[in-house]
Structure formats: C-alpha cells, structure tokens
Amino acid sequence: MNLPDGTSREMTFCNRSLRRIVPENLLEKSKSIPPKLSRVNGWSLPLNSFQFVAWTAYVYMTIVAFGLFIPLLPYFWKKLTYIVLGMLFVFHLVVHIIAVTMDPADPNVRNKESYGELMPALDRSKHKHVIQNQFCHLCEVIVGMKAKHCSVCNKCIADFDHHCKWLNNCVGSRNYWYFFTCMASAVLGIVLLITLLLYIFIQYFVKPEELRTDLQFENCPQNIWLAFLPWFPVQTSPVVLLTIAVVTLLLSVVSLLFLGHLLGFHLYLIFWQLSTFDYMTQGHQKQSTNPQIKISSPLNSSVSVTESEIPSGKKRRFIIQDPCTRSSSRQRSIFIATSPLRHPRICPRVNENLSQMCFSLMNRILPPLQSLLIWSPSQS
C-alpha cells in the first residue's frame, strides 16, 4: 500500500526506529532544556530526588544497625562489629561526600574567569555539535580529548563517564575513583548488614538468650526487648523488632541487587579500560552496523565457515554464496536460526547436497548409538 508521498507502508515500517515510542515532535518537546548557569557539584540546585533516597537509606541503615541489632550481639562480636561496620560506614560517608562535592569539570573550564556566569545558548545554524575540534562552543574553551559537555550540568566534564543521579553530579576523571569506592564500600557494608540480620533471625528462633547478654536485660521479662543499648534503652516488643528486621533485610537485598549490578558493570569497564560513555557509544555503533558470517558452499558438499567480529547477544547473519551461479557477487542472507537444509532461498543443488551429507552421517552414527542406548528384553 502506497502512502500519499509515494512511499510504501512496508518500507516506512521497516525503516522507522523500533525504539521510538512517541512522535518525533513530542520527543523534541520533552527534551530537558539545560540550565543557563553551570552546576558546580552535586550540591548545586536543583537537587535530585535520587539523592534523598540514597541519604535516607544510609541514615536508616545506620540507625537500625548501630541502635537496634549490633547491641544484641555477644560481647566479643559486638565490639568487633562496632569497629568493622563503623569504619566501613564512616569510610562510605567520606567518599560519598567527596564524590558529590568535587567538581569534575575540565581544568580549562574551572580556570576560566567567567566560570559560573550565564552560559550562551548553542546556535545550531552555526555549529552542528557543541564540541568541535576539541573546542566547546558553550564553555568557549579548549577541552581534553575525552571531555564531553553534560546537558544536565551544562559544562564540559574531563574524561566524561556518566551523569550520576544518585550523586546529582557528573562522574569524570577527578571523582571516578571516589565514585567507585563509594559503590564498593556500600556493597560491602550491605553484605555485612545482611549477615548481621540473618544471625539475629537465627538466634532469635534457635537460642534467644544469646541475644540478651547485656546486663540491662536481667530485669526485663522474656517478652520485652531493649533497643538503643546501652545509653538510651527503649523497651519494645519482639514483633516490632522482627518487623523492623524484615523491612531492613528486604531493603538491604534490593539495594545489594542494584549496587552489586552497578559495581559489576564498572568492574567490567575497568577490565576492558572503557568508560560508560564509550560502552554506550559502542553499543549504538554495533546496532547500526550489521555483523555478518560468510559461508562458502562448494559443490562437493563441504561447508567452510569464516566468522568475522560479532558482538555477543546480537543477531548473526549468514552470507551464503550461491554455488549455482557463476557470479561471486550474488550473495543472499538468512538468519542464523534458520535451518539451511530446506531454506527456499538456497538453490536446490545445495539443498540436495547438504541433505545427502546429513543423512549419510546419521546412518553411520545412529545404529551404534541405538545398540548402546536402547535395551530390549531379548538381550537379557
């Protein structure tokens, strides 16, 4: 069916982007307009809602761990957990604040006199890209090779990796390792907290007296538990204590899944010496290209396969050279998932040769296997 402009509906459907879920004009309107002022760090307004989630979770886990559950441990393990978990939580707090506070902008951007003043808008009629030949038309300075202009912070970031919503700050060469150690310390702290909660659960149902070794439990009945020991003891019921433990455990597991996945992803990037921006750029380039596998099928039914560089997880395609034609330029493509034995795009001679080869191999292999695997009563 033809459209009013003369193009076919099938052609339009095949050429459009499958990722587009709204009309193009709505996409342009929905794009966030960068602020006129450059943001200095993660404390610059506007703050991000993800920041409040991260800090709320950190404060909650700190209060619950050090106020409710660590005081229930036996004396030796209580002192050890206070030291180890306390140092880990303090270390995470320090590197988190540094990663948020540090300005990751390019050195030339930070050193210019007008840094922090109103930024000009990019004139698309004059400049197609913000950075051309290592010169930023918005920051109006020469930047490094791997610097990128962040549309959220409205400035060029040295060795740009990504813009982190949890920090409300960009991650570049200046604060990347603070960001990485922040993730690693958070994952390790959550693992220790989950171990602590599991121990509390097991001991409560197996041997609860091991959790009541503090001297202030001597005058309390068995159905009364104390929180915020030893300085501010507050009486509570076991139901409240277990409910808080379950909620904390679920929150810790969810946080571990997200942070563990993020930490593993950045370990992968470090191993391959890539940044997040490089990884995303390569992903878009691999989607735009069409990796192919070439198969040559000579007339003697022997098939030789040469595989080019193919990214894992992508659809692979065969380039099958038709042996029934003399011209080597005529090549046809099929998906790898399609069986080549009876595919309609392969000429009958190739179908026949491949079928004969498979049938001859099956006749040689199957009879010995049948005699080994199939048992009959007459053989007993």
Side-chain angles (χ1 to χ4, degrees):
M1 180 179 178
N2 293 332
L3 297 177
D5 58 353
T7 60
S8 63
R9 186 180 298 274
E10 291 79 9
M11 184 181 297
T12 306
F13 176 80
C14 294
N15 290 337
R16 69 183 181 181
S17 175
L18 296 179
R19 292 179 177 270
R20 185 177 301 163
I21 58 176
V22 294
E24 210 169 289
N25 55 351
L26 294 181
L27 284 176
E28 294 178 356
K29 292 180 181 180
S30 64
K31 290 181 180 178
S32 60
I33 301 175
K36 294 181 179 180
L37 292 175
S38 298
R39 301 178 68 255
V40 178
N41 50 34
W43 306 115
S44 300
L45 299 177
L47 300 178
N48 198 294
S49 58
F50 285 86
Q51 276 183 292
F52 294 101
V53 174
W55 284 108
T56 302
Y58 175 81
V59 172
Y60 171 80
M61 290 182 180
T62 304
I63 294 175
V64 167
F66 291 90
L68 295 181
F69 299 117
I70 296 181
L72 299 179
L73 297 177
Y75 180 79
F76 173 76
W77 293 108
K78 177 165 49 177
K79 297 297 182 181
L80 182 63
T81 308
Y82 268 131
I83 295 173
V84 175
L85 205 60
M87 293 177 61
L88 195 58
F89 271 56
V90 171
F91 177 77
H92 173 79
L93 178 65
V94 172
V95 294
H96 194 157
I97 293 177
I98 294 176
V100 174
T101 307
M102 186 170 289
D103 186 1
D106 189 90
N108 291 337
V109 175
R110 289 183 281 110
N111 293 332
K112 72 174 186 176
E113 296 180 357
S114 60
Y115 183 46
E117 298 180 0
L118 293 175
M119 295 284 290
L122 181 65
D123 189 356
R124 292 290 180 180
S125 61
K126 295 181 180 179
H127 311 291
K128 186 177 180 180
H129 302 285
V130 179
I131 299 178
Q132 291 178 327
N133 298 326
Q134 294 182 241
F135 182 81
C136 179
H137 297 288
L138 289 180
C139 298
E140 296 180 342
V141 293
I142 297 176
V143 295
M145 288 290 295
K146 294 184 178 181
K148 302 297 177 184
H149 192 94
C150 177
S151 60
V152 180
C153 296
N154 201 16
K155 61 184 179 183
C156 286
I157 308 300
D159 296 336
F160 178 78
D161 188 86
H162 71 285
H163 182 86
C164 181
K165 295 181 179 180
W166 301 97
L167 302 179
N168 195 31
N169 196 13
C170 276
V171 177
S173 58
R174 294 195 71 205
N175 61 345
Y176 180 83
W177 287 109
Y178 294 104
F179 163 78
F180 182 82
T181 52
C182 178
M183 284 190 305
S185 59
V187 170
L188 185 57
I190 292 174
V191 169
L192 294 179
L193 181 59
I194 292 176
T195 305
L196 170 64
L197 293 173
L198 292 178
Y199 176 81
I200 297 294
F201 266 111
I202 295 173
Q203 287 295 96
Y204 178 82
F205 291 104
V206 174
K207 200 174 182 181
E209 58 271 13
E210 292 291 332
L211 304 178
R212 302 172 64 92
T213 57
D214 194 274
L215 297 178
Q216 300 190 38
F217 277 107
E218 294 180 355
N219 300 325
C220 291
Q222 293 295 325
N223 59 344
I224 298 296
W225 289 77
L226 297 177
F228 302 105
L229 293 171
W231 299 285
F232 306 101
V234 178
Q235 294 186 359
T236 182
S237 65
V239 177
V240 174
L241 191 67
L242 291 178
T243 302
I244 297 175
V246 170
V247 173
T248 308
L249 184 62
L250 293 177
L251 177 62
S252 302
V253 170
V254 173
S255 303
L256 182 62
L257 291 177
F258 282 102
L259 288 173
H261 178 269
L262 185 61
L263 179 62
F265 173 70
H266 278 273
L267 287 173
Y268 169 84
L269 294 179
I270 292 173
F271 178 79
W272 291 106
Q273 297 182 355
L274 295 172
S275 65
T276 305
F277 181 80
D278 295 335
Y279 178 84
M280 299 299 294
T281 304
Q282 290 182 4
H284 289 302
Q285 290 177 353
K286 289 178 181 179
Q287 289 178 1
S288 61
T289 58
N290 186 16
Q292 296 174 338
I293 302 175
K294 186 178 290 183
I295 294 183
S296 59
S297 299
L299 294 178
N300 58 0
S301 299
S302 63
V303 181
S304 62
V305 180
T306 59
E307 182 173 352
S308 59
E309 295 182 0
I310 300 171
S312 59
K314 305 295 181 182
K315 286 185 177 180
R316 305 181 182 181
R317 297 180 71 90
F318 281 140
I319 298 290
I320 297 186
Q321 186 172 357
D322 196 344
C324 299
T325 59
R326 296 182 179 179
S327 174
S328 61
S329 62
R330 294 183 60 184
Q331 294 177 341
R332 306 175 185 270
S333 63
I334 62 170
F335 283 106
I336 191 171
T338 307
S339 175
L341 292 180
R342 292 296 178 187
H343 198 276
R345 293 186 179 181
I346 307 180
C347 69
R349 184 182 302 176
V350 177
N351 273 329
E352 183 179 357
N353 291 335
L354 290 176
S355 300
Q356 291 178 358
M357 180 181 64
C358 291
F359 289 145
S360 61
L361 290 175
M362 290 170 61
N363 291 331
R364 295 179 182 179
I365 295 174
L366 287 180
L369 290 177
Q370 289 178 353
S371 62
L372 293 174
L373 300 177
I374 299 177
W375 177 84
S376 61
S378 60
Q379 295 175 356
S380 59

